[in-house]
Amino acid sequence: MLPWKRVLRPLAALLLTAAVAVVPAATTAQAAETAAAPSSGWNDYSCKPSAAHPRPVVLVHGTFANSVDNWLGLAPYLKGRGYCVFSLDYGQLPGVPFFHALGPIDKSAEQLSAYVDKVLAATGAAEADLVGHSQGGMMPRYYLKFLGGAGKVNALVGIAPNNHGTTLSGLTNLLPYFPGAEDLLSAATPALAQQVVGSDFMTRLNAGGDTVPGVRYTVIATKYDEVVTPWRTQFLTGPDVKNVLIQDLCAVDISEHALIGITDRIAFHEVANALDPAHARPTTCASVFS
């Protein structure tokens, strides 16, 4: 093998990894915040849902993120509005701290299933609402479709979810030109390979329709998404689906893939509307102050 080919094989996987890794890794101090969360009401297993908000909200982080970093903005936002809020870590690889959601997505869905059961048992609620960012907005669909989650979930809200696979702005189209790159990617980080458009996982997930009966779906997307591309592939088709382009609500919102899930209070306002549609208020650029 020519020397340049030996270099390009891992380089292709590295480029794909770098393109998806838009959420910063947790520091040791940040990871410790998970244990301290009950003091602020986040991951407080003594929290009992109110009549106004009768279902706990489970936050599902994205690729390369974790249960703390991804939700430093949205978790307090929802908690301040009276929700019982929980978040989990999933998809950990052996020996890889802080960077999660890299393992096989079907196994991550099993972790989500167990976590939802834990939250429902602690809160006494019959159903939960799920809010996920990126992979976290898509992975729960496997839980709903194949693991019996539809009977335990009222709504799934996906923020920039990778629902039909991504080309990473065309980057994945380069993989066939680098022999072995796809195999390397699958072996090292299965969840990344599974999220490529046309993967076996994506084909199975979407076969027979995007949705399952009994669950309300909301997708919140940004046209500036540089990770899940084309951005329109994030939208779902089926009954009880609401697809939202954030720029239709506020034309000057320039959030891209990471920011729409981490800091965008306009997107947060639309999440709140999706969780409580009976009391929804119009989302505008002024929602950043609400």
Side-chain angles (χ1 to χ4, degrees), residues 139-157:
M139 177 271 281
R141 293 180 50 225
Y142 189 96
Y143 163 57
L144 299 176
K145 191 169 188 177
F146 299 113
L147 302 180
K152 301 174 184 179
V153 172
N154 169 69
L156 170 61
V157 183

Side-chain angles (χ1 to χ4, degrees), residues 13 25 30 33 43 63 65 73 81 89 91 94 123 128 132 135 146 150 161 174-175 204 241 243 248 251-252 259 288:
Q30 287 173 322
E33 291 181 29
N43 279 347
T63 307
R81 281 153 180 76
D89 286 309
T123 60
Q135 182 189 156
F146 299 113
L174 298 176
L175 290 178
R204 183 183 183 212
V241 169
N243 293 313
D248 288 342
V252 298
L259 293 182
V288 71

Side-chain angles (χ1 to χ4, degrees), residues 195-257:
Q195 290 184 80
V196 173
V197 65
S199 72
D200 290 343
F201 176 85
M202 283 294 171
T203 299
R204 183 183 183 212
L205 177 65
N206 293 305
D210 292 346
T211 64
V212 296
V215 179
R216 291 188 296 104
Y217 296 81
T218 301
V219 173
I220 304 171
T222 171
K223 67 181 181 181
Y224 300 113
D225 199 311
E226 78 287 22
V227 173
V228 182
T229 57
W231 63 263
R232 290 177 181 84
T233 63
Q234 299 173 28
F235 287 164
L236 297 173
T237 300
D240 294 321
V241 169
K242 180 181 180 182
N243 293 313
V244 178
L245 179 64
I246 203 72
Q247 283 76 29
D248 288 342
L249 306 177
C250 177
V252 298
D253 189 327
I254 59 172
S255 292
E256 40 64 73
H257 184 80

Side-chain angles (χ1 to χ4, degrees), residues 47-246:
C47 185
K48 300 300 179 185
S50 65
H53 302 302
R55 292 175 298 275
V57 177
V58 175
L59 303 178
V60 190
H61 64 75
T63 307
F64 280 95
N66 57 63
S67 62
V68 176
D69 280 357
N70 214 147
W71 307 120
L72 293 174
L74 184 58
Y77 181 96
L78 293 177
K79 178 60 186 178
R81 281 153 180 76
Y83 288 92
C84 292
V85 181
F86 302 87
S87 62
L88 78 156
D89 286 309
Y90 70 89
Q92 301 93 329
L93 292 178
V96 182
F98 312 133
F99 297 94
H100 298 153
L102 296 173
I105 298 175
D106 55 327
K107 299 301 181 183
S108 294
E110 292 176 5
Q111 291 179 277
L112 174 63
S113 177
Y115 189 79
V116 170
D117 287 347
K118 177 181 177 181
V119 169
L120 293 181
T123 60
E127 292 182 313
D129 289 326
L130 308 180
V131 179
H133 179 215
S134 193
Q135 182 189 156
M138 171 272 292
M139 177 271 281
R141 293 180 50 225
Y142 189 96
Y143 163 57
L144 299 176
K145 191 169 188 177
F146 299 113
L147 302 180
K152 301 174 184 179
V153 172
N154 169 69
L156 170 61
V157 183
I159 306 172
N162 185 11
N163 278 323
H164 297 98
T166 178
T167 67
L168 286 171
S169 299
L171 184 60
T172 60
N173 294 330
L174 298 176
L175 290 178
Y177 294 96
F178 302 118
E182 291 181 85
D183 292 339
L184 176 63
L185 186 65
S186 298
T189 52
L192 295 187
Q194 288 176 314
Q195 290 184 80
V196 173
V197 65
S199 72
D200 290 343
F201 176 85
M202 283 294 171
T203 299
R204 183 183 183 212
L205 177 65
N206 293 305
D210 292 346
T211 64
V212 296
V215 179
R216 291 188 296 104
Y217 296 81
T218 301
V219 173
I220 304 171
T222 171
K223 67 181 181 181
Y224 300 113
D225 199 311
E226 78 287 22
V227 173
V228 182
T229 57
W231 63 263
R232 290 177 181 84
T233 63
Q234 299 173 28
F235 287 164
L236 297 173
T237 300
D240 294 321
V241 169
K242 180 181 180 182
N243 293 313
V244 178
L245 179 64
I246 203 72

Side-chain angles (χ1 to χ4, degrees), residues 74 77 81 264-274 280-284 287-288 290:
L74 184 58
Y77 181 96
R81 281 153 180 76
D264 191 337
R265 290 178 66 90
I266 297 170
F268 294 175
H269 190 272
E270 195 61 16
V271 169
N273 282 347
R281 294 177 296 150
T283 300
T284 68
S287 298
V288 71
S290 64

